[in-house]
Amino acid sequence: MTTRRALLQQFACGLAAVTATPLALPAAPALLGLNRKGHVVRGGYVDDDAAAGHALRDGTATLPAGRPERRVAVAIVGGGIGGLSTAWRLDALGLTDWTLLELGARVGGNARSAEYPGLGGQRAPWGAHYLPVPPADAVHVRALCRELGVLGANGEWDERVLCHSPQERLWQHGRWHEGIDPRDAATPEVRRQFARFEQLTAEWRKSGMFRVPSAEGHRVRTEAIRRGGAAAKVARAVQRLDTMSADAWLREQALDAPALRWWVEYGTRDDYGASLQQASAWAAVHYFAARPANEEGPLTWPEGNDYLVRALSQRLSRGRDARGQERLLAHSPVVQLERRGTTWQLDTPRERIVADAVVWAAPLFVLPRVCREVTVPVEIEYAPWVVANLVLDRMPEERGATLAWDNVVYGSASLGYVNAQHQGLGQPRPTQLWTWYHAVTDRPAREARQWLQQQPWSVWRDTIINDLQPAHPDIAERLLRVDVKRWGHAMARPVPRTLARVESLRTWKPAPHLFMAHADLSNLSLFEEAQWHGVQAAVSVVRALR
């Protein structure tokens, strides 16, 4: 039997280095914390690529002399879902002469994950951790899922990746409840307000103007305005939602029950990293109305969406460009992007790339930093996040419903934690691995990023303990590690006037043979949005070059 002393020794030695294939901690934690019993909680910050990003921002990135030159048809900048989807679609269209340039050590964007060798190689997400089951009209997402073996030829989903039961639980009124519906012991008035909100959501869903990917909903709305009549009235009401905050809209509708407001804000924080005061009412409604009321799933893996990233990147890595060279290049931030005659020149610390076309699949705010001739026509607000992976020696004390995949604390500033071992099919381990999510919504985004950089790791260790202690009284004694990743620009935040920004970006032509493929174009950081823009960019590139 493994004793607690043996576990502590194991984690002090073998687990001090968290390998994430993408990210790693130093061999010894930079900071240690002692709880009131003298128990050491180890951990630290993982590499967040901030140094490379700030070098691009400040213009201090260097380009060594004597770098080799590579000639390709297409250069893809950014290895998130948008960039990978561009590459995937280019291959399908027969254009295989491309190179993808990734700033970090590994592709994946905010869908990367960590690996814990001391837990038998158990993985846990650093960001996006699930994919809603795509409906029948989600052609590209389903095609990718079929290629990766997640969706069978018969249309059946692999049951191993459909989220197992129990899926969700909520800590409320001193115990865990199944599901995250906060209506436990609710008054008739609170239930009436929930019913009213659900009625409004159903009406918006029925309009067809809220879809994923959102381009289809925008098309339906625009066409309704063109036709006029009753549909145009609905479309104008949808557009009005985008002129106000979610908070203002809920107040206008007399939906002021604290439980309902918490429920709606859980959605805006979950998908957008935004409070009710920050998110537009359109975005709040979109969270609830864009998907079926009773959808199957979601699809999830121990490492979250990094499962899809790794499977896709492995397939893409098998191919070579027209000169037989590797196509996925990590540690390759684009420092300069210039138009030279009929081609583009991309300079990275590793090599110079000369391409006929460029697909920009990195966040839009970076583009003007490296390409002087381009100006982004809109300003996008980016939500800062903190994600922490927690290693516990065993399950802590609790009351009520048993551990679920998603575990949420009612009224908390965090989004709770996901059990990274939930989808495991082998013998369960006594140790626990949880991923804790927190969107920084209590201050303006720019100020929040500066604040994040100033906080010592111990602040997050203590914040997490205080956040979970009501539900798990002995959490401080159970914790062995707290590994923290800061996402300064985690996702585009859909503040009011999102629809106007999306329209400006839709008609934007930045430069000849320069195409965009990032979820920023939708102002929604969702897998489906990023993939859709990647696919559209690939189609545009092939059309332009052929």
Side-chain angles (χ1 to χ4, degrees):
M1 178 178 179
T2 303
T3 65
R4 177 170 174 77
R5 183 183 300 274
L7 276 170
L8 285 171
Q9 184 176 7
Q10 172 191 5
F11 280 87
C13 301
L15 243 182
V18 177
T19 70
T21 313
L23 306 165
L25 285 172
L31 292 167
L32 300 178
L34 297 176
N35 68 13
R36 62 184 182 276
K37 294 185 178 180
H39 160 53
V40 177
V41 178
R42 298 178 181 271
Y45 284 122
V46 301
D47 181 15
D48 57 4
D49 298 322
H54 291 167
L56 293 180
R57 178 195 66 188
D58 302 332
T60 59
T62 59
L63 294 170
R67 290 166 295 122
E69 183 173 290
R70 177 189 299 230
R71 183 71 169 87
V72 293
V74 184
I76 304 168
V77 183
I81 300 302
L84 292 171
S85 297
T86 300
W88 171 68
R89 190 59 180 163
L90 285 175
D91 275 359
L93 294 172
L95 202 169
T96 59
D97 186 25
W98 54 261
T99 295
L100 186 148
L101 305 168
E102 164 58 33
L103 175 146
R106 239 209 73 195
V107 299
N110 61 15
R112 289 173 287 182
S113 66
E115 182 179 5
Y116 285 80
L119 294 180
Q122 173 72 46
R123 303 192 74 91
W126 279 129
H129 60 283
Y130 70 95
L131 175 65
V133 172
D137 59 354
V139 177
H140 301 303
V141 183
R142 291 174 74 94
L144 177 63
C145 288
R146 277 193 297 271
E147 287 189 24
L148 301 184
V150 175
L151 177 63
N154 60 357
E156 297 292 328
W157 295 98
D158 185 340
E159 292 187 0
R160 293 171 296 180
V161 305
L162 287 169
C163 187
H164 304 166
S165 294
Q167 291 189 6
E168 300 168 323
R169 64 174 181 170
L170 177 68
W171 174 264
Q172 189 182 27
H173 302 147
R175 64 186 179 90
W176 288 104
H177 303 259
E178 291 186 8
I180 57 172
D181 187 328
R183 278 175 278 191
D184 180 62
T187 65
E189 170 59 17
V190 170
R191 295 183 181 277
R192 185 196 67 78
Q193 289 195 27
F194 267 90
R196 170 64 177 154
F197 178 77
E198 289 165 357
Q199 176 191 0
L200 291 170
T201 300
E203 292 171 358
W204 291 125
R205 184 183 296 114
K206 186 178 179 181
S207 74
M209 298 178 193
F210 295 89
R211 302 284 292 276
V212 177
S214 57
E216 179 61 17
H218 298 328
R219 185 195 64 78
V220 172
R221 188 187 74 254
T222 302
E223 178 63 19
I225 291 176
R226 188 190 65 79
R227 291 198 316 267
K233 183 178 180 181
V234 175
R236 285 191 290 270
V238 169
Q239 293 184 164
R240 181 176 177 273
L241 286 173
D242 196 45
T243 65
M244 66 181 82
S245 69
D247 172 66
W249 179 70
L250 288 172
R251 294 182 186 280
E252 179 183 86
Q253 298 295 319
L255 299 173
D256 57 2
L260 176 59
R261 288 176 59 84
W262 175 86
W263 172 254
V264 177
E265 187 171 77
Y266 177 83
T268 60
R269 285 190 292 137
D270 181 39
D271 261 13
Y272 317 132
S275 66
L276 292 179
Q277 291 75 24
Q278 293 164 336
S280 80
W282 176 86
V285 170
H286 187 278
Y287 179 87
F288 294 93
R291 304 190 190 276
N294 297 303
E295 62 173 311
E296 180 187 19
L299 308 174
T300 188
W301 302 264
E303 64 269 50
N305 288 3
D306 197 25
Y307 174 89
L308 297 171
V309 167
R310 291 191 297 141
L312 178 55
S313 60
Q314 286 171 8
R315 292 173 67 91
L316 296 174
S317 295
R318 298 186 193 123
R320 291 291 184 268
D321 66 17
R323 291 151 193 84
Q325 301 176 99
E326 182 182 356
R327 300 189 298 179
L328 299 181
L329 303 181
H331 292 304
S332 297
V334 174
V335 178
Q336 292 179 3
L337 172 61
E338 297 179 284
R339 183 76 172 162
R340 293 293 180 92
T342 60
T343 63
W344 285 95
Q345 179 177 295
L346 303 90
D347 283 304
T348 79
R350 291 180 51 168
E351 57 188 331
R352 169 171 288 173
I353 312 293
V354 178
D356 297 316
V358 172
V359 175
W360 186 268
L364 295 187
F365 79 94
V366 182
L367 180 55
R369 309 269 186 188
V370 302
C371 186
R372 295 179 180 178
E373 61 188 271
V374 171
T375 300
V376 178
V378 301
E379 185 173 346
I380 297 175
E381 183 174 312
Y382 292 88
W385 278 74
V386 171
V387 180
N389 278 313
L390 319 180
V391 180
L392 300 88
D393 64 346
R394 62 180 172 83
M395 189 67 196
E397 296 177 13
E398 60 179 13
R399 294 175 54 193
T402 59
L403 182 66
W405 168 67
D406 197 8
N407 306 267
V408 181
V409 177
Y410 177 79
S412 168
S414 81
L415 286 159
Y417 61 90
V418 168
N419 173 19
Q421 296 158 305
H422 187 74
Q423 296 295 102
L425 299 176
Q427 185 69 22
R429 293 174 174 269
T431 48
Q432 299 292 311
L433 181 57
W434 299 348
T435 305
W436 181 85
Y437 291 87
H438 177 78
V440 184
T441 62
D442 62 346
R443 60 197 75 205
R446 185 185 299 272
E447 178 186 329
R449 279 188 286 276
Q450 296 171 346
W451 177 81
L452 274 182
Q453 291 299 317
Q454 296 166 357
Q455 304 311 303
W457 163 84
S458 57
V459 165
W460 293 109
R461 175 203 65 205
D462 296 344
T463 297
I464 292 166
I465 289 173
N466 291 332
D467 183 47
L468 299 182
Q469 208 157 34
H472 302 294
D474 62 338
I475 186 71
E477 284 70 50
R478 301 280 70 84
L479 270 177
L480 298 175
R481 288 194 68 88
V482 177
D483 302 318
V484 178
K485 181 167 176 60
R486 294 169 292 190
W487 295 91
H489 297 81
M491 57 176 61
R493 179 179 279 166
V495 298
R497 294 194 58 75
T498 287
L499 299 183
R501 287 191 295 278
V502 169
E503 180 60 22
S504 293
L505 291 171
R506 187 185 68 81
T507 57
W508 177 42
K509 306 295 182 186
H513 286 189
L514 176 59
F515 305 91
M516 301 294 109
H518 195 275
D520 281 0
L521 296 170
S522 297
N523 215 167
L524 300 173
S525 183
L526 303 176
F527 181 100
E528 301 96 326
E529 300 291 338
Q531 193 212 33
W532 192 87
H533 290 296
V535 167
Q536 298 306 309
V539 171
S540 296
V541 166
V542 170
R543 184 181 299 123
L545 296 188
R546 291 182 178 175

